[in-house]
Amino acid sequence: MSHRSEPTAPKPVPVVAAIVTSSLGVLISHRLDRNPPWSYITGAIEPGERPAAAAVREVAEETGLVVSAGEVIGSRVHPLTGRYLIYVSAEPTRGTEVSVRAGSGLSAVRWVSLAEAEALMPPMFPPVLAYLARVLQPHEP
C-alpha cells in the first residue's frame, strides 16, 4: 500500500513581536494599515534568522532604537491578523529615543504604561501581560 502525501499549503512566515521595555514603559507602534491599529514592533523573521535577531533588527529598522533581545515570552496565531507571532523581550542598550523610520509602515511609535498598552491593544496575550506586569511594576525603595 503506497501512501501519497496530500499537498500542503506553504507555512506562513513567522513574525516576531518585540516587547521592548524600559523605565518609560513598553514601546508600541501605530500601524498605517491599522491591522491592528496599535501593536508592538513587529516584522517577518527572515529565512535562517533567529527570533531574537529579528527582534533586534526590526526595532532598529522601524524606530532607530538599539536593543538587546532576551527571552521568548510565548507564541500564538494572532486572533486579528491570523499571523504566527513569536513574542521576544528586549531592552534598549543605548538611550530610549525613538522615531518612525521611513518605510516602516508606522505612523507613530511611543512608550506607554501597562494600563495604556492594555487599553490600546485588547485583549492582550496573557503571557505578554504577565511579563509586562512583572517588569513594569514600580520598584520598592
Side-chain angles (χ1 to χ4, degrees):
M1 172 183 238
S2 72
H3 293 285
R4 292 178 43 159
S5 61
E6 293 295 318
T8 57
K11 286 188 175 180
V13 174
V15 173
V16 69
I19 312 303
V20 184
T21 57
S22 75
S23 60
L24 300 175
V26 60
L27 185 62
I28 66 170
S29 62
H30 190 263
R31 298 174 52 92
L32 289 171
D33 67 10
R34 302 190 57 78
N35 184 26
W38 289 95
S39 73
Y40 305 106
I41 305 303
T42 61
I45 299 173
E46 295 177 355
E49 187 176 39
R50 294 185 140 326
V56 170
R57 178 182 52 75
E58 286 292 338
V59 172
E61 287 176 1
E62 295 187 4
T63 73
L65 186 67
V66 177
V67 299
S68 63
E71 66 191 77
V72 171
I73 299 167
S75 62
R76 69 170 173 171
V77 173
H78 193 279
L80 297 177
T81 66
R83 303 288 304 266
Y84 179 69
L85 264 69
I86 301 171
Y87 297 82
V88 176
S89 67
E91 294 183 345
T93 59
R94 286 182 289 182
T96 55
E97 189 172 321
V98 293
S99 63
V100 173
R101 299 297 174 156
S104 66
L106 305 177
S107 61
V109 290
R110 68 181 204 203
W111 295 100
V112 297
S113 68
L114 177 55
E116 289 173 293
E118 284 185 278
L120 291 170
M121 299 185 299
M124 195 173 283
F125 184 40
V128 172
L129 179 58
Y131 171 79
L132 290 174
R134 187 175 81 242
V135 300
L136 295 180
Q137 73 182 19
H139 300 288
E140 296 296 318

